[in-house]
PDB file of all heavy atoms in Angstrom:
ATOM      1  N   PHE C 138     -14.189  13.008  -4.909  1.00 88.00           N
ATOM      2  CA  PHE C 138     -12.792  12.628  -4.676  1.00 88.00           C
ATOM      3  C   PHE C 138     -12.222  12.061  -5.963  1.00 88.00           C
ATOM      4  O   PHE C 138     -11.065  12.413  -6.330  1.00 88.00           O
ATOM      5  CB  PHE C 138     -12.786  11.569  -3.518  1.00 88.00           C
ATOM      6  CG  PHE C 138     -11.423  11.106  -3.139  1.00 88.00           C
ATOM      7  CD1 PHE C 138     -10.459  12.017  -2.647  1.00 88.00           C
ATOM      8  CD2 PHE C 138     -11.058   9.788  -3.230  1.00 88.00           C
ATOM      9  CE1 PHE C 138      -9.202  11.600  -2.265  1.00 88.00           C
ATOM     10  CE2 PHE C 138      -9.773   9.352  -2.850  1.00 88.00           C
ATOM     11  CZ  PHE C 138      -8.874  10.227  -2.330  1.00 88.00           C
ATOM     12  N   MET C 139     -12.974  11.187  -6.664  1.00 89.00           N
ATOM     13  CA  MET C 139     -12.456  10.582  -7.920  1.00 89.00           C
ATOM     14  C   MET C 139     -12.212  11.631  -8.933  1.00 89.00           C
ATOM     15  O   MET C 139     -11.145  11.647  -9.601  1.00 89.00           O
ATOM     16  CB  MET C 139     -13.443   9.566  -8.430  1.00 89.00           C
ATOM     17  CG  MET C 139     -13.052   8.845  -9.656  1.00 89.00           C
ATOM     18  SD  MET C 139     -14.143   7.615 -10.201  1.00 89.00           S
ATOM     19  CE  MET C 139     -15.457   8.567 -10.898  1.00 89.00           C
ATOM     20  N   LEU C 140     -13.177  12.629  -9.116  1.00 87.00           N
ATOM     21  CA  LEU C 140     -12.964  13.638 -10.095  1.00 87.00           C
ATOM     22  C   LEU C 140     -11.720  14.447  -9.819  1.00 87.00           C
ATOM     23  O   LEU C 140     -10.897  14.693 -10.708  1.00 87.00           O
ATOM     24  CB  LEU C 140     -14.191  14.578 -10.113  1.00 87.00           C
ATOM     25  CG  LEU C 140     -15.438  13.966 -10.681  1.00 87.00           C
ATOM     26  CD1 LEU C 140     -16.604  15.017 -10.596  1.00 87.00           C
ATOM     27  CD2 LEU C 140     -15.285  13.619 -12.161  1.00 87.00           C
ATOM     28  N   ALA C 141     -11.508  14.740  -8.538  1.00 87.00           N
ATOM     29  CA  ALA C 141     -10.341  15.567  -8.167  1.00 87.00           C
ATOM     30  C   ALA C 141      -9.079  14.772  -8.457  1.00 87.00           C
ATOM     31  O   ALA C 141      -8.141  15.246  -9.092  1.00 87.00           O
ATOM     32  CB  ALA C 141     -10.376  15.911  -6.691  1.00 87.00           C
ATOM     33  N   LEU C 142      -9.062  13.485  -8.029  1.00 88.00           N
ATOM     34  CA  LEU C 142      -7.910  12.664  -8.228  1.00 88.00           C
ATOM     35  C   LEU C 142      -7.560  12.484  -9.685  1.00 88.00           C
ATOM     36  O   LEU C 142      -6.411  12.548 -10.161  1.00 88.00           O
ATOM     37  CB  LEU C 142      -8.109  11.288  -7.611  1.00 88.00           C
ATOM     38  CG  LEU C 142      -7.588  11.018  -6.195  1.00 88.00           C
ATOM     39  CD1 LEU C 142      -7.865   9.591  -5.792  1.00 88.00           C
ATOM     40  CD2 LEU C 142      -6.130  11.297  -6.136  1.00 88.00           C
ATOM     41  N   LEU C 143      -8.651  12.222 -10.484  1.00 89.00           N
ATOM     42  CA  LEU C 143      -8.453  12.021 -11.931  1.00 89.00           C
ATOM     43  C   LEU C 143      -7.931  13.298 -12.576  1.00 89.00           C
ATOM     44  O   LEU C 143      -7.047  13.242 -13.405  1.00 89.00           O
ATOM     45  CB  LEU C 143      -9.736  11.590 -12.605  1.00 89.00           C
ATOM     46  CG  LEU C 143     -10.179  10.122 -12.448  1.00 89.00           C
ATOM     47  CD1 LEU C 143     -11.482   9.851 -13.168  1.00 89.00           C
ATOM     48  CD2 LEU C 143      -9.104   9.267 -12.986  1.00 89.00           C
ATOM     49  N   MET C 144      -8.457  14.456 -12.135  1.00 88.00           N
ATOM     50  CA  MET C 144      -8.030  15.692 -12.750  1.00 88.00           C
ATOM     51  C   MET C 144      -6.507  15.867 -12.490  1.00 88.00           C
ATOM     52  O   MET C 144      -5.751  16.176 -13.408  1.00 88.00           O
ATOM     53  CB  MET C 144      -8.836  16.834 -12.105  1.00 88.00           C
ATOM     54  CG  MET C 144      -9.334  17.887 -13.054  1.00 88.00           C
ATOM     55  SD  MET C 144     -10.187  19.170 -12.135  1.00 88.00           S
ATOM     56  CE  MET C 144     -11.796  18.529 -12.067  1.00 88.00           C
ATOM     57  N   ILE C 145      -6.139  15.667 -11.237  1.00 89.00           N
ATOM     58  CA  ILE C 145      -4.744  15.932 -10.852  1.00 89.00           C
ATOM     59  C   ILE C 145      -3.818  14.850 -11.585  1.00 89.00           C
ATOM     60  O   ILE C 145      -2.792  15.185 -12.124  1.00 89.00           O
ATOM     61  CB  ILE C 145      -4.544  15.907  -9.349  1.00 89.00           C
ATOM     62  CG1 ILE C 145      -5.378  16.961  -8.718  1.00 89.00           C
ATOM     63  CG2 ILE C 145      -3.081  16.011  -8.978  1.00 89.00           C
ATOM     64  CD1 ILE C 145      -5.636  16.737  -7.262  1.00 89.00           C
ATOM     65  N   SER C 146      -4.234  13.579 -11.513  1.00 87.00           N
ATOM     66  CA  SER C 146      -3.343  12.520 -12.028  1.00 87.00           C
ATOM     67  C   SER C 146      -3.266  12.618 -13.545  1.00 87.00           C
ATOM     68  O   SER C 146      -2.283  12.300 -14.159  1.00 87.00           O
ATOM     69  CB  SER C 146      -3.815  11.207 -11.536  1.00 87.00           C
ATOM     70  OG  SER C 146      -5.120  10.943 -11.891  1.00 87.00           O
ATOM     71  N   PHE C 147      -4.394  13.030 -14.186  1.00 87.00           N
ATOM     72  CA  PHE C 147      -4.383  13.173 -15.644  1.00 87.00           C
ATOM     73  C   PHE C 147      -3.344  14.253 -16.040  1.00 87.00           C
ATOM     74  O   PHE C 147      -2.415  13.991 -16.888  1.00 87.00           O
ATOM     75  CB  PHE C 147      -5.769  13.663 -16.088  1.00 87.00           C
ATOM     76  CG  PHE C 147      -5.891  13.971 -17.620  1.00 87.00           C
ATOM     77  CD1 PHE C 147      -6.046  12.950 -18.513  1.00 87.00           C
ATOM     78  CD2 PHE C 147      -5.822  15.337 -17.948  1.00 87.00           C
ATOM     79  CE1 PHE C 147      -6.178  13.291 -19.814  1.00 87.00           C
ATOM     80  CE2 PHE C 147      -5.988  15.634 -19.294  1.00 87.00           C
ATOM     81  CZ  PHE C 147      -6.107  14.639 -20.245  1.00 87.00           C
ATOM     82  N   LEU C 148      -3.381  15.413 -15.351  1.00 88.00           N
ATOM     83  CA  LEU C 148      -2.401  16.434 -15.676  1.00 88.00           C
ATOM     84  C   LEU C 148      -0.953  16.046 -15.313  1.00 88.00           C
ATOM     85  O   LEU C 148      -0.004  16.247 -16.079  1.00 88.00           O
ATOM     86  CB  LEU C 148      -2.758  17.702 -14.872  1.00 88.00           C
ATOM     87  CG  LEU C 148      -3.993  18.465 -15.345  1.00 88.00           C
ATOM     88  CD1 LEU C 148      -4.364  19.538 -14.435  1.00 88.00           C
ATOM     89  CD2 LEU C 148      -3.765  18.981 -16.779  1.00 88.00           C
ATOM     90  N   ARG C 149      -0.829  15.315 -14.120  1.00 87.00           N
ATOM     91  CA  ARG C 149       0.529  14.948 -13.715  1.00 87.00           C
ATOM     92  C   ARG C 149       1.102  13.913 -14.668  1.00 87.00           C
ATOM     93  O   ARG C 149       2.325  14.018 -15.074  1.00 87.00           O
ATOM     94  CB  ARG C 149       0.494  14.374 -12.316  1.00 87.00           C
ATOM     95  CG  ARG C 149       0.471  15.343 -11.220  1.00 87.00           C
ATOM     96  CD  ARG C 149       0.410  14.714  -9.833  1.00 87.00           C
ATOM     97  NE  ARG C 149       1.815  14.309  -9.452  1.00 87.00           N
ATOM     98  CZ  ARG C 149       2.113  13.698  -8.326  1.00 87.00           C
ATOM     99  NH1 ARG C 149       1.114  13.377  -7.519  1.00 87.00           N
ATOM    100  NH2 ARG C 149       3.302  13.396  -7.954  1.00 87.00           N
ATOM    101  N   GLN C 150       0.285  12.967 -15.150  1.00 84.00           N
ATOM    102  CA  GLN C 150       0.784  11.915 -16.019  1.00 84.00           C
ATOM    103  C   GLN C 150       1.164  12.490 -17.386  1.00 84.00           C
ATOM    104  O   GLN C 150       2.205  12.202 -17.945  1.00 84.00           O
ATOM    105  CB  GLN C 150      -0.279  10.839 -16.187  1.00 84.00           C
ATOM    106  CG  GLN C 150       0.391   9.500 -16.389  1.00 84.00           C
ATOM    107  CD  GLN C 150      -0.672   8.362 -16.615  1.00 84.00           C
ATOM    108  OE1 GLN C 150      -1.849   8.574 -16.355  1.00 84.00           O
ATOM    109  NE2 GLN C 150      -0.204   7.250 -17.060  1.00 84.00           N
ATOM    110  N   ILE C 151       0.307  13.395 -17.902  1.00 84.00           N
ATOM    111  CA  ILE C 151       0.579  13.968 -19.225  1.00 84.00           C
ATOM    112  C   ILE C 151       1.827  14.892 -19.163  1.00 84.00           C
ATOM    113  O   ILE C 151       2.737  14.717 -19.998  1.00 84.00           O
ATOM    114  CB  ILE C 151      -0.638  14.808 -19.693  1.00 84.00           C
ATOM    115  CG1 ILE C 151      -1.763  13.860 -20.073  1.00 84.00           C
ATOM    116  CG2 ILE C 151      -0.259  15.667 -20.915  1.00 84.00           C
ATOM    117  CD1 ILE C 151      -2.673  14.309 -21.116  1.00 84.00           C
ATOM    118  N   LEU C 152       1.903  15.750 -18.168  1.00 85.00           N
ATOM    119  CA  LEU C 152       3.045  16.662 -18.080  1.00 85.00           C
ATOM    120  C   LEU C 152       4.305  15.896 -17.656  1.00 85.00           C
ATOM    121  O   LEU C 152       5.398  16.243 -18.092  1.00 85.00           O
ATOM    122  CB  LEU C 152       2.715  17.837 -17.092  1.00 85.00           C
ATOM    123  CG  LEU C 152       1.599  18.706 -17.498  1.00 85.00           C
ATOM    124  CD1 LEU C 152       1.204  19.639 -16.368  1.00 85.00           C
ATOM    125  CD2 LEU C 152       2.010  19.548 -18.714  1.00 85.00           C
ATOM    126  N   GLY C 153       4.166  14.960 -16.779  1.00 81.00           N
ATOM    127  CA  GLY C 153       5.314  14.368 -16.209  1.00 81.00           C
ATOM    128  C   GLY C 153       5.870  13.156 -17.038  1.00 81.00           C
ATOM    129  O   GLY C 153       7.099  12.905 -16.874  1.00 81.00           O
ATOM    130  N   THR C 154       5.077  12.564 -17.856  1.00 77.00           N
ATOM    131  CA  THR C 154       5.600  11.469 -18.704  1.00 77.00           C
ATOM    132  C   THR C 154       5.373  11.691 -20.163  1.00 77.00           C
ATOM    133  O   THR C 154       5.933  10.986 -21.002  1.00 77.00           O
ATOM    134  CB  THR C 154       4.971  10.084 -18.305  1.00 77.00           C
ATOM    135  OG1 THR C 154       3.576  10.152 -18.729  1.00 77.00           O
ATOM    136  CG2 THR C 154       5.059   9.786 -16.844  1.00 77.00           C
ATOM    137  N   GLY C 155       4.561  12.683 -20.516  1.00 76.00           N
ATOM    138  CA  GLY C 155       4.356  12.971 -21.923  1.00 76.00           C
ATOM    139  C   GLY C 155       3.438  11.996 -22.603  1.00 76.00           C
ATOM    140  O   GLY C 155       3.224  12.064 -23.841  1.00 76.00           O
ATOM    141  N   SER C 156       2.826  11.026 -21.844  1.00 75.00           N
ATOM    142  CA  SER C 156       1.914  10.112 -22.498  1.00 75.00           C
ATOM    143  C   SER C 156       0.789   9.791 -21.499  1.00 75.00           C
ATOM    144  O   SER C 156       0.868  10.121 -20.310  1.00 75.00           O
ATOM    145  CB  SER C 156       2.658   8.816 -22.855  1.00 75.00           C
ATOM    146  OG  SER C 156       3.176   8.245 -21.665  1.00 75.00           O
ATOM    147  N   LEU C 157      -0.250   9.176 -22.039  1.00 77.00           N
ATOM    148  CA  LEU C 157      -1.342   8.834 -21.176  1.00 77.00           C
ATOM    149  C   LEU C 157      -1.585   7.323 -21.298  1.00 77.00           C
ATOM    150  O   LEU C 157      -1.835   6.824 -22.465  1.00 77.00           O
ATOM    151  CB  LEU C 157      -2.601   9.595 -21.566  1.00 77.00           C
ATOM    152  CG  LEU C 157      -3.758   9.507 -20.505  1.00 77.00           C
ATOM    153  CD1 LEU C 157      -3.338  10.157 -19.245  1.00 77.00           C
ATOM    154  CD2 LEU C 157      -4.999  10.133 -21.063  1.00 77.00           C
ATOM    155  N   SER C 158      -1.497   6.622 -20.237  1.00 74.00           N
ATOM    156  CA  SER C 158      -1.771   5.186 -20.319  1.00 74.00           C
ATOM    157  C   SER C 158      -2.529   4.744 -19.040  1.00 74.00           C
ATOM    158  O   SER C 158      -2.415   5.447 -18.025  1.00 74.00           O
ATOM    159  CB  SER C 158      -0.477   4.347 -20.401  1.00 74.00           C
ATOM    160  OG  SER C 158       0.340   4.605 -19.261  1.00 74.00           O
ATOM    161  N   LEU C 159      -3.275   3.669 -19.136  1.00 74.00           N
ATOM    162  CA  LEU C 159      -4.044   3.206 -18.005  1.00 74.00           C
ATOM    163  C   LEU C 159      -3.655   1.764 -17.719  1.00 74.00           C
ATOM    164  O   LEU C 159      -3.868   0.932 -18.629  1.00 74.00           O
ATOM    165  CB  LEU C 159      -5.554   3.339 -18.242  1.00 74.00           C
ATOM    166  CG  LEU C 159      -6.481   2.773 -17.250  1.00 74.00           C
ATOM    167  CD1 LEU C 159      -6.359   3.532 -15.946  1.00 74.00           C
ATOM    168  CD2 LEU C 159      -7.883   2.801 -17.732  1.00 74.00           C
ATOM    169  N   SER C 160      -3.068   1.440 -16.621  1.00 68.00           N
ATOM    170  CA  SER C 160      -2.801   0.062 -16.253  1.00 68.00           C
ATOM    171  C   SER C 160      -3.202  -0.181 -14.876  1.00 68.00           C
ATOM    172  O   SER C 160      -2.594   0.205 -13.900  1.00 68.00           O
ATOM    173  CB  SER C 160      -1.374  -0.288 -16.494  1.00 68.00           C
ATOM    174  OG  SER C 160      -0.514   0.452 -15.682  1.00 68.00           O
ATOM    175  N   VAL C 161      -4.392  -0.807 -14.709  1.00 67.00           N
ATOM    176  CA  VAL C 161      -4.960  -1.152 -13.420  1.00 67.00           C
ATOM    177  C   VAL C 161      -6.010  -2.194 -13.612  1.00 67.00           C
ATOM    178  O   VAL C 161      -6.553  -2.314 -14.699  1.00 67.00           O
ATOM    179  CB  VAL C 161      -5.556   0.142 -12.776  1.00 67.00           C
ATOM    180  CG1 VAL C 161      -6.826   0.559 -13.395  1.00 67.00           C
ATOM    181  CG2 VAL C 161      -5.721  -0.082 -11.253  1.00 67.00           C
ATOM    182  N   PHE C 162      -6.245  -3.028 -12.563  1.00 68.00           N
ATOM    183  CA  PHE C 162      -7.240  -4.092 -12.611  1.00 68.00           C
ATOM    184  C   PHE C 162      -7.004  -4.996 -13.819  1.00 68.00           C
ATOM    185  O   PHE C 162      -7.977  -5.425 -14.487  1.00 68.00           O
ATOM    186  CB  PHE C 162      -8.648  -3.524 -12.635  1.00 68.00           C
ATOM    187  CG  PHE C 162      -8.947  -2.602 -11.583  1.00 68.00           C
ATOM    188  CD1 PHE C 162      -9.544  -1.377 -11.860  1.00 68.00           C
ATOM    189  CD2 PHE C 162      -8.601  -2.866 -10.247  1.00 68.00           C
ATOM    190  CE1 PHE C 162      -9.838  -0.447 -10.813  1.00 68.00           C
ATOM    191  CE2 PHE C 162      -8.909  -1.935  -9.197  1.00 68.00           C
ATOM    192  CZ  PHE C 162      -9.486  -0.733  -9.523  1.00 68.00           C
ATOM    193  N   GLY C 163      -5.725  -5.280 -14.224  1.00 63.00           N
ATOM    194  CA  GLY C 163      -5.533  -6.109 -15.349  1.00 63.00           C
ATOM    195  C   GLY C 163      -5.654  -5.476 -16.762  1.00 63.00           C
ATOM    196  O   GLY C 163      -5.377  -6.043 -17.741  1.00 63.00           O
ATOM    197  N   LEU C 164      -6.129  -4.203 -16.731  1.00 67.00           N
ATOM    198  CA  LEU C 164      -6.243  -3.450 -18.007  1.00 67.00           C
ATOM    199  C   LEU C 164      -4.831  -2.949 -18.305  1.00 67.00           C
ATOM    200  O   LEU C 164      -4.006  -2.690 -17.461  1.00 67.00           O
ATOM    201  CB  LEU C 164      -7.159  -2.276 -17.815  1.00 67.00           C
ATOM    202  CG  LEU C 164      -8.625  -2.574 -17.820  1.00 67.00           C
ATOM    203  CD1 LEU C 164      -9.368  -1.308 -17.439  1.00 67.00           C
ATOM    204  CD2 LEU C 164      -9.114  -3.028 -19.204  1.00 67.00           C
ATOM    205  N   ASN C 165      -4.567  -2.732 -19.614  1.00 68.00           N
ATOM    206  CA  ASN C 165      -3.317  -2.162 -19.964  1.00 68.00           C
ATOM    207  C   ASN C 165      -3.483  -1.371 -21.279  1.00 68.00           C
ATOM    208  O   ASN C 165      -3.356  -1.956 -22.367  1.00 68.00           O
ATOM    209  CB  ASN C 165      -2.220  -3.209 -20.084  1.00 68.00           C
ATOM    210  CG  ASN C 165      -0.881  -2.737 -19.536  1.00 68.00           C
ATOM    211  OD1 ASN C 165      -0.647  -1.479 -19.627  1.00 68.00           O
ATOM    212  ND2 ASN C 165      -0.107  -3.614 -18.974  1.00 68.00           N
ATOM    213  N   ILE C 166      -3.846  -0.151 -21.198  1.00 69.00           N
ATOM    214  CA  ILE C 166      -4.193   0.609 -22.424  1.00 69.00           C
ATOM    215  C   ILE C 166      -3.223   1.823 -22.577  1.00 69.00           C
ATOM    216  O   ILE C 166      -3.024   2.517 -21.577  1.00 69.00           O
ATOM    217  CB  ILE C 166      -5.667   1.174 -22.349  1.00 69.00           C
ATOM    218  CG1 ILE C 166      -6.625   0.060 -21.912  1.00 69.00           C
ATOM    219  CG2 ILE C 166      -6.031   1.706 -23.695  1.00 69.00           C
ATOM    220  CD1 ILE C 166      -7.971   0.597 -21.478  1.00 69.00           C
ATOM    221  N   ASN C 167      -2.677   1.924 -23.670  1.00 72.00           N
ATOM    222  CA  ASN C 167      -1.898   3.156 -23.999  1.00 72.00           C
ATOM    223  C   ASN C 167      -2.728   4.072 -24.858  1.00 72.00           C
ATOM    224  O   ASN C 167      -3.132   3.712 -25.977  1.00 72.00           O
ATOM    225  CB  ASN C 167      -0.661   2.803 -24.774  1.00 72.00           C
ATOM    226  CG  ASN C 167       0.479   2.415 -23.838  1.00 72.00           C
ATOM    227  OD1 ASN C 167       0.693   3.102 -22.900  1.00 72.00           O
ATOM    228  ND2 ASN C 167       1.064   1.230 -24.004  1.00 72.00           N
ATOM    229  N   PHE C 168      -3.114   5.239 -24.369  1.00 72.00           N
ATOM    230  CA  PHE C 168      -3.990   6.127 -25.156  1.00 72.00           C
ATOM    231  C   PHE C 168      -3.160   6.860 -26.155  1.00 72.00           C
ATOM    232  O   PHE C 168      -3.415   6.737 -27.358  1.00 72.00           O
ATOM    233  CB  PHE C 168      -4.680   7.110 -24.195  1.00 72.00           C
ATOM    234  CG  PHE C 168      -5.701   6.395 -23.296  1.00 72.00           C
ATOM    235  CD1 PHE C 168      -5.451   6.274 -21.953  1.00 72.00           C
ATOM    236  CD2 PHE C 168      -6.827   5.842 -23.852  1.00 72.00           C
ATOM    237  CE1 PHE C 168      -6.449   5.661 -21.121  1.00 72.00           C
ATOM    238  CE2 PHE C 168      -7.727   5.166 -23.027  1.00 72.00           C
ATOM    239  CZ  PHE C 168      -7.541   5.083 -21.692  1.00 72.00           C
ATOM    240  N   PHE C 169      -2.182   7.662 -25.750  1.00 73.00           N
ATOM    241  CA  PHE C 169      -1.394   8.424 -26.724  1.00 73.00           C
ATOM    242  C   PHE C 169      -0.062   8.850 -26.100  1.00 73.00           C
ATOM    243  O   PHE C 169       0.046   8.835 -24.840  1.00 73.00           O
ATOM    244  CB  PHE C 169      -2.179   9.634 -27.255  1.00 73.00           C
ATOM    245  CG  PHE C 169      -2.620  10.562 -26.169  1.00 73.00           C
ATOM    246  CD1 PHE C 169      -1.737  11.484 -25.623  1.00 73.00           C
ATOM    247  CD2 PHE C 169      -3.942  10.489 -25.712  1.00 73.00           C
ATOM    248  CE1 PHE C 169      -2.190  12.387 -24.641  1.00 73.00           C
ATOM    249  CE2 PHE C 169      -4.356  11.324 -24.740  1.00 73.00           C
ATOM    250  CZ  PHE C 169      -3.501  12.272 -24.174  1.00 73.00           C
ATOM    251  N   THR C 170       0.882   9.183 -26.920  1.00 74.00           N
ATOM    252  CA  THR C 170       2.114   9.809 -26.460  1.00 74.00           C
ATOM    253  C   THR C 170       2.247  11.095 -27.215  1.00 74.00           C
ATOM    254  O   THR C 170       2.149  11.126 -28.468  1.00 74.00           O
ATOM    255  CB  THR C 170       3.306   8.903 -26.755  1.00 74.00           C
ATOM    256  OG1 THR C 170       3.009   7.641 -26.134  1.00 74.00           O
ATOM    257  CG2 THR C 170       4.599   9.464 -26.196  1.00 74.00           C
ATOM    258  N   LEU C 171       2.484  12.146 -26.458  1.00 73.00           N
ATOM    259  CA  LEU C 171       2.625  13.461 -27.119  1.00 73.00           C
ATOM    260  C   LEU C 171       3.935  13.610 -27.818  1.00 73.00           C
ATOM    261  O   LEU C 171       4.965  13.040 -27.362  1.00 73.00           O
ATOM    262  CB  LEU C 171       2.502  14.582 -26.134  1.00 73.00           C
ATOM    263  CG  LEU C 171       1.075  14.728 -25.456  1.00 73.00           C
ATOM    264  CD1 LEU C 171       1.090  15.713 -24.344  1.00 73.00           C
ATOM    265  CD2 LEU C 171       0.071  15.075 -26.499  1.00 73.00           C
ATOM    266  N   PRO C 172       3.984  14.289 -29.000  1.00 73.00           N
ATOM    267  CA  PRO C 172       5.239  14.344 -29.728  1.00 73.00           C
ATOM    268  C   PRO C 172       6.503  14.870 -29.025  1.00 73.00           C
ATOM    269  O   PRO C 172       7.389  14.095 -28.767  1.00 73.00           O
ATOM    270  CB  PRO C 172       4.871  15.261 -30.960  1.00 73.00           C
ATOM    271  CG  PRO C 172       3.582  15.906 -30.586  1.00 73.00           C
ATOM    272  CD  PRO C 172       2.918  14.970 -29.631  1.00 73.00           C
ATOM    273  N   ILE C 173       6.477  16.114 -28.624  1.00 72.00           N
ATOM    274  CA  ILE C 173       7.710  16.641 -28.015  1.00 72.00           C
ATOM    275  C   ILE C 173       7.839  16.287 -26.524  1.00 72.00           C
ATOM    276  O   ILE C 173       8.855  15.890 -26.043  1.00 72.00           O
ATOM    277  CB  ILE C 173       7.779  18.188 -28.200  1.00 72.00           C
ATOM    278  CG1 ILE C 173       7.788  18.567 -29.691  1.00 72.00           C
ATOM    279  CG2 ILE C 173       9.032  18.795 -27.541  1.00 72.00           C
ATOM    280  CD1 ILE C 173       7.416  19.986 -30.014  1.00 72.00           C
ATOM    281  N   LEU C 174       6.702  16.429 -25.848  1.00 71.00           N
ATOM    282  CA  LEU C 174       6.644  16.167 -24.402  1.00 71.00           C
ATOM    283  C   LEU C 174       7.043  14.693 -24.097  1.00 71.00           C
ATOM    284  O   LEU C 174       7.621  14.400 -23.046  1.00 71.00           O
ATOM    285  CB  LEU C 174       5.287  16.481 -23.836  1.00 71.00           C
ATOM    286  CG  LEU C 174       5.226  16.930 -22.363  1.00 71.00           C
ATOM    287  CD1 LEU C 174       6.144  18.090 -22.079  1.00 71.00           C
ATOM    288  CD2 LEU C 174       3.770  17.279 -22.029  1.00 71.00           C
ATOM    289  N   GLY C 175       6.734  13.758 -25.019  1.00 68.00           N
ATOM    290  CA  GLY C 175       7.011  12.395 -24.791  1.00 68.00           C
ATOM    291  C   GLY C 175       8.536  12.124 -24.706  1.00 68.00           C
ATOM    292  O   GLY C 175       8.905  11.202 -23.944  1.00 68.00           O
ATOM    293  N   GLU C 176       9.319  12.915 -25.433  1.00 71.00           N
ATOM    294  CA  GLU C 176      10.722  12.681 -25.390  1.00 71.00           C
ATOM    295  C   GLU C 176      11.349  13.502 -24.282  1.00 71.00           C
ATOM    296  O   GLU C 176      12.403  13.084 -23.716  1.00 71.00           O
ATOM    297  CB  GLU C 176      11.377  13.075 -26.751  1.00 71.00           C
ATOM    298  CG  GLU C 176      11.085  12.101 -27.851  1.00 71.00           C
ATOM    299  CD  GLU C 176      11.171  12.700 -29.204  1.00 71.00           C
ATOM    300  OE1 GLU C 176      12.020  13.622 -29.419  1.00 71.00           O
ATOM    301  OE2 GLU C 176      10.293  12.415 -30.033  1.00 71.00           O
ATOM    302  N   HIS C 177      10.806  14.625 -23.916  1.00 72.00           N
ATOM    303  CA  HIS C 177      11.367  15.468 -22.863  1.00 72.00           C
ATOM    304  C   HIS C 177      10.307  15.718 -21.840  1.00 72.00           C
ATOM    305  O   HIS C 177       9.822  16.856 -21.731  1.00 72.00           O
ATOM    306  CB  HIS C 177      11.922  16.790 -23.440  1.00 72.00           C
ATOM    307  CG  HIS C 177      12.884  16.558 -24.549  1.00 72.00           C
ATOM    308  ND1 HIS C 177      14.142  16.191 -24.394  1.00 72.00           N
ATOM    309  CD2 HIS C 177      12.694  16.703 -25.919  1.00 72.00           C
ATOM    310  CE1 HIS C 177      14.733  16.050 -25.522  1.00 72.00           C
ATOM    311  NE2 HIS C 177      13.868  16.329 -26.478  1.00 72.00           N
ATOM    312  N   PRO C 178       9.891  14.732 -21.072  1.00 74.00           N
ATOM    313  CA  PRO C 178       8.820  14.933 -20.065  1.00 74.00           C
ATOM    314  C   PRO C 178       9.312  15.827 -18.902  1.00 74.00           C
ATOM    315  O   PRO C 178      10.537  15.906 -18.592  1.00 74.00           O
ATOM    316  CB  PRO C 178       8.485  13.554 -19.571  1.00 74.00           C
ATOM    317  CG  PRO C 178       9.718  12.758 -19.814  1.00 74.00           C
ATOM    318  CD  PRO C 178      10.406  13.372 -21.014  1.00 74.00           C
ATOM    319  N   MET C 179       8.351  16.588 -18.329  1.00 77.00           N
ATOM    320  CA  MET C 179       8.670  17.409 -17.191  1.00 77.00           C
ATOM    321  C   MET C 179       8.532  16.551 -15.915  1.00 77.00           C
ATOM    322  O   MET C 179       7.502  16.537 -15.313  1.00 77.00           O
ATOM    323  CB  MET C 179       7.768  18.659 -17.145  1.00 77.00           C
ATOM    324  CG  MET C 179       7.989  19.534 -18.391  1.00 77.00           C
ATOM    325  SD  MET C 179       6.998  21.041 -18.222  1.00 77.00           S
ATOM    326  CE  MET C 179       5.524  20.538 -19.032  1.00 77.00           C
TER     327      MET C 179
END
Side-chain angles (χ1 to χ4, degrees):
Chain C
F138 182 60
M139 181 176 75
L140 288 178
L142 265 182
L143 280 180
M144 223 182 273
I145 300 162
S146 54
F147 176 80
L148 290 171
R149 281 182 79 183
Q150 212 182 347
I151 290 209
L152 296 170
T154 67
S156 62
L157 192 66
S158 61
L159 174 66
S160 60
V161 72
F162 309 130
L164 286 169
N165 220 327
I166 313 165
N167 275 309
F168 293 110
F169 56 82
T170 303
L171 294 173
I173 299 162
L174 208 54
E176 286 154 39
H177 307 283
M179 296 185 269

